[in-house]
């Protein structure tokens, strides 16, 4: 049995504390005298301390905090009532650290619990009506839960039932816990819970949960182990806090930040094209004009004039590309209307019918989950056209192209996926410049590097995003979230 003994040399006679070292507990003089006990002959076991001195309403929480502190060095701060020798309770705040303690070398391996008397005794009132607990829980949308590992039962408070949209008389079940989380998060939740219930590792994480009405929303979930007197974990308890609104703002901010970063990248591209490509064209043009003026031969002059035509054509292409990018940025609020994916795809298939036939391409589409979005029709056709012709252009040499197009809803947003069985893209090598202007990711002589750049601009101009997944020689999937 662990005994409380007087430390040989108290570290500070003005501080109430327990020193935990080598299975012994040393009690400071001031702490004992605060409780009215003698500092000479008093010996108190840990069990007596937990069961008789600490108020029964605080004992359970203190036991869990104590064992978490001893086993996993998890600091804590807890208000509690401790019974003095005359039978009256005094309020203390128990903490695991103290600014005024100067540890000596021979106490480096000790752990300390400090007990400071509270200046304001509000604890009794709070415990009587639990006003503050209820107000705090409601105002912060925080509910509590407990899983009893011995009885294999789980318990929710009313706030948790309200957050999860269950009726007040609903009884939670461990066996139904899979229904409280979206499938994508259940494995993560299971790992957090198992680590806590087996290894005593507390957790604090942000995950998605499912309400009774199958509404997904973000929560902060925190949990910690519950110990019995033998230091064995007998349960896990914690809180759920509804953070859906805050998380949505955070994700929106992150998306905005990503879009701004992308726009900055496009501006960089723009500056690069203007400063480099256009200057190259004009420099070439000036050089050719000088050569025309310098030569006397009519044949040479005509040949150089043909070169001027080539330069002018190339310059015109570059200006048209830049103009298209500028047009995208200035027309995002125009012409947005409901458009069916199936109709847009039909127009595209008609316009490139010969290419599809010649390449023996098969296009399979499934818009059964969502068929219509509010979008600029020309943009949607342009997006489909670019991605479908890309799939055909980069088809695998040993098989006919098969293109699968489907739409669905993910996280309340419409998603369009286009997957092909082409040569794939080496994302490790080309992923960084995949959507850059005049950036190509294949050694195909037809590659220009403008289609994906325009596609990404069109999507992001309407606050969407495009991601690519690919494996060389197997497939490429473009995922567009509108």
């Amino acid at each position: 049995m662990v005994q409380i003994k007087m430390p040989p040399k108290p570290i500070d006679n003005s501080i109430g504390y327990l020193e935990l070292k080598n299975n012994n507990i040393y009690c400071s003089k001031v702490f004992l005298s605060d409780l009215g006990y003698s500092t000479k002959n008093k010996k108190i076991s840990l069990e007596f301390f937990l069961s008789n001195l600490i108020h029964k309403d605080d004992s359970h929480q203190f036991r869990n905090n104590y064992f978490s502190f001893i086993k996993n060095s998890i600091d804590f701060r807890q208000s509690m009532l401790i019974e003095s020798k005359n039978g009256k309770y005094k309020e203390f705040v128990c903490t695991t650290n103290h600014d005024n303690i100067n540890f000596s070398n021979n106490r480096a391996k000790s752990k300390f619990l400090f007990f400071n008397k509270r200046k304001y005794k509000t604890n009794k009132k709070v415990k009587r009506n639990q006003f503050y607990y209820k107000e705090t829980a409601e105002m912060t949308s925080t509910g509590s839960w407990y899983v009893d590992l011995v009885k294999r039962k789980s318990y929710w408070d009313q706030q948790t039932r309200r957050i999860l949209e269950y009726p007040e008389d609903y009884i939670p079940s461990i066996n139904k816990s899979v229904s409280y989380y979206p499938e994508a998060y259940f494995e993560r939740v299971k790992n957090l819970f198992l680590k806590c219930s087996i290894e005593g590792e507390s957790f604090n994480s942000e995950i998605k949960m499912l309400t009774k009405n199958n509404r997904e929303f973000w929560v902060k979930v925190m949990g910690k182990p519950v110990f019995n007197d033998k230091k064995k974990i007998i349960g896990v308890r914690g809180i759920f806090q509804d953070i859906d609104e805050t998380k949505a703002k955070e994700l929106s901010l992150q998306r905005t930040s990503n879009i701004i970063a992308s726009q900055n990248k496009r501006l960089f591209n723009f500056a690069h094209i203007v400063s480099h490509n256009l200057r190259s064209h004009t420099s070439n043009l000036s050089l050719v004009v000088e050569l025309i003026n310098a030569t006397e031969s009519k044949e040479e002059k005509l040949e150089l004039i043909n070169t001027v035509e080539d330069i002018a054509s190339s310059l015109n292409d570059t200006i048209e590309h830049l103009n298209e990018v500028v047009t995208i940025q200035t027309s995002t609020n125009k012409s947005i209307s409901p458009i069916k994916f199936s109709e847009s795809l039909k127009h595209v298939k008609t316009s490139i019918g010969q290419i599809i036939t010649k390449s023996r391409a098969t296009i399979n589409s499934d818009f059964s989950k969502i068929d219509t979005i509010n979008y600029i029709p020309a943009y949607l056709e342009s997006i489909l056209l670019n991605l479908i012709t890309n799939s055909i252009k980069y088809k695998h040499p040993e098989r006919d192209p098969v293109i699968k197009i489907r739409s669905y809803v993910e996280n309340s947003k419409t998603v369009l996926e286009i997957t092909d069985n082409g040569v794939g893209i080496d994302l490790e090598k080309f992923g960084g410049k995949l959507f850059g202007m005049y950036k190509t990711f294949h050694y195909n002589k037809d590659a220009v590097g403008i289609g994906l750049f325009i596609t990404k601009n069109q999507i992001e101009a309407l606050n969407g995003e495009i991601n690519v997944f690919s494996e060389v020689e197997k497939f490429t999937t473009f995922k567009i979230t509108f």
Side-chain angles (χ1 to χ4, degrees):
M1 177 178 292
V2 180
Q3 300 291 321
I4 295 180
K5 303 174 181 177
M6 287 295 298
K9 295 180 181 178
I11 51 178
D12 189 332
N13 277 331
S14 65
I15 300 173
Y17 66 88
L18 297 181
E19 180 178 356
L20 318 171
K21 184 177 182 181
N22 299 328
N23 289 325
N24 289 321
I25 298 179
Y26 300 99
C27 185
S28 75
K29 179 180 177 181
V30 68
F31 185 56
L32 284 177
S33 69
D34 276 345
L35 299 177
Y37 289 105
S38 166
T39 59
K40 294 182 179 179
N41 301 318
K42 194 63 184 176
K43 291 184 178 180
I44 306 172
S45 70
L46 175 64
E47 180 56 34
F48 182 82
F49 186 75
L50 293 172
S51 303
N52 297 282
L53 294 188
I54 298 179
H55 193 282
K56 62 179 183 180
D57 291 343
D58 299 317
S59 177
H60 190 65
Q61 182 181 356
F62 178 78
R63 179 181 285 107
N64 291 321
N65 287 333
Y66 174 82
F67 289 137
S68 294
F69 178 61
I70 296 299
K71 293 183 68 174
N72 300 314
S73 299
I74 298 175
D75 289 319
F76 71 93
R77 176 186 177 88
Q78 180 189 343
S79 298
M80 63 182 65
L81 294 174
I82 298 180
E83 188 175 12
S84 59
K85 189 177 180 180
N86 62 11
K88 294 184 177 179
Y89 282 95
K90 295 185 176 181
E91 288 191 51
F92 289 86
V93 177
C94 177
T95 63
T96 51
N97 46 60
H98 198 293
D99 295 337
N100 297 327
I101 292 297
N102 183 21
F103 293 99
S104 58
N105 290 333
N106 62 346
R107 283 199 165 97
K109 295 182 180 179
S110 294
K111 294 192 174 195
F112 291 87
L113 298 179
F114 302 98
F115 294 85
N116 303 309
K117 284 188 287 188
R118 286 185 66 95
K119 294 180 180 179
Y120 306 102
K121 298 182 179 180
T122 56
N123 192 289
K124 187 175 181 179
K125 182 178 179 180
V126 171
K127 287 182 178 298
R128 187 172 59 244
N129 57 28
Q130 295 191 347
F131 170 78
Y132 292 119
Y133 160 72
K134 291 179 180 177
E135 286 293 302
T136 302
E138 186 171 340
M139 293 176 70
T140 60
S141 295
T142 305
S144 60
W145 52 271
Y146 173 62
V147 175
D148 189 324
L149 299 175
V150 178
K151 298 179 180 177
R152 290 193 56 77
K153 290 185 176 180
S154 59
Y155 304 89
W156 293 352
D157 69 355
Q158 290 302 335
Q159 189 65 12
T160 294
R161 289 184 176 84
R162 189 191 66 77
I163 292 172
L164 296 177
E165 299 175 354
Y166 282 86
E168 290 186 357
D169 58 348
Y170 176 75
I171 298 176
S173 165
I174 294 178
N175 296 330
K176 294 180 180 178
S177 56
V178 67
S179 64
Y180 305 142
Y181 307 92
E183 185 178 354
Y185 289 87
F186 189 73
E187 191 66 24
R188 184 175 163 192
V189 171
K190 187 174 76 174
N191 290 335
L192 289 173
F193 187 83
L194 288 177
K195 277 195 172 183
C196 186
S197 60
I198 297 174
E199 301 173 16
E201 185 176 315
S202 300
F203 56 88
N204 181 349
S205 184
E206 293 178 352
I207 60 170
K208 274 192 168 183
M209 292 192 74
L210 276 177
T211 67
K212 185 177 185 296
N213 301 311
N214 283 326
R215 179 178 64 86
E216 288 187 12
F217 72 114
W218 284 98
V219 298
K220 177 188 282 292
V221 57
M222 301 174 70
K224 59 190 296 188
V226 176
F227 297 89
N228 64 7
D229 295 344
K230 297 178 181 178
K231 304 181 183 180
K232 183 181 177 183
I233 298 174
I234 58 171
V236 178
R237 68 176 181 176
I239 60 105
F240 292 130
Q241 184 180 21
D242 184 349
I243 59 168
D244 196 53
E245 186 176 349
T246 305
K247 191 69 178 179
K249 291 178 180 176
E250 178 188 326
L251 293 175
S252 175
L253 187 62
Q254 183 60 50
R255 280 195 295 273
T256 302
S257 175
N258 292 339
I259 289 173
I260 290 173
S262 178
Q263 288 174 337
N264 285 338
K265 192 175 180 181
R266 290 203 299 275
L267 284 174
F268 179 81
N269 270 324
F270 217 85
H272 174 78
I273 299 302
V274 171
S275 65
H276 182 266
N277 293 35
L278 292 185
R279 189 172 61 186
S280 298
H281 293 312
T282 55
S283 296
N284 284 337
L285 194 59
S286 297
L287 181 60
V288 172
V289 170
E290 287 179 11
L291 289 173
I292 290 173
N293 291 331
T295 186
E296 298 293 334
S297 169
K298 289 185 179 178
E299 291 76 11
E300 289 183 6
K301 282 182 181 289
L302 290 173
E303 188 176 340
L304 288 170
I305 289 173
N306 290 333
T307 304
V308 171
E309 290 179 354
D310 293 339
I311 295 172
S313 175
S314 180
L315 178 59
N316 187 57
D317 288 344
T318 301
I319 292 174
E320 282 187 3
H321 291 155
L322 294 175
N323 184 55
E324 191 168 351
V325 174
V326 173
T327 303
I328 290 170
Q329 301 302 320
T330 57
S331 63
T332 54
N333 293 323
K334 299 178 181 177
S335 308
I336 292 178
S337 60
I339 176 70
K340 289 188 174 182
F341 287 116
S342 53
E343 289 183 1
S344 191
L345 178 61
K346 182 181 176 182
H347 293 159
V348 171
K349 289 167 74 174
T350 301
S351 65
I352 58 171
Q354 291 299 321
I355 297 175
I356 294 173
T357 303
K358 187 177 178 181
S359 63
R360 299 163 59 88
T362 302
I363 300 177
N364 299 316
S365 59
D366 178 7
F367 303 123
S368 57
K369 294 184 178 176
I370 183 164
D371 185 37
T372 303
I373 61 168
N374 286 321
Y375 216 63
I376 299 176
Y379 280 14
L380 184 57
E381 285 187 25
S382 174
I383 291 165
L384 286 168
L385 179 68
N386 274 319
L387 297 182
I388 290 173
T389 52
N390 252 26
S391 296
I392 295 174
K393 187 184 298 181
Y394 302 116
K395 69 184 183 70
H396 197 282
E398 298 178 358
R399 53 181 179 256
D400 293 336
V402 176
I403 304 166
K404 298 178 180 177
I405 306 174
R406 67 182 184 120
S407 59
Y408 57 91
V409 175
E410 182 179 84
N411 297 329
S412 304
K413 290 187 175 293
T414 299
V415 175
L416 179 68
E417 268 191 13
I418 300 175
T419 301
D420 65 49
N421 63 340
V423 293
I425 304 169
D426 186 345
L427 293 178
E428 188 174 342
K429 189 173 182 180
F430 299 108
K433 62 179 185 179
L434 189 61
F435 296 101
M437 193 171 189
Y438 297 134
K439 303 293 185 183
T440 58
F441 50 93
H442 286 100
Y443 301 109
N444 190 323
K445 63 181 181 180
D446 296 332
V448 177
I450 193 67
L452 286 180
F453 178 76
I454 295 295
T455 298
K456 186 176 176 64
N457 270 267
Q458 290 171 328
I459 293 168
E460 292 184 348
L462 293 174
N463 299 321
E465 63 178 51
I466 181 170
N467 292 289
V468 60
F469 310 89
S470 186
E471 190 171 341
V472 176
E473 299 291 321
K474 293 187 176 179
F475 77 95
T476 298
T477 295
F478 285 96
K479 179 179 178 181
I480 301 153
T481 305
F482 294 100

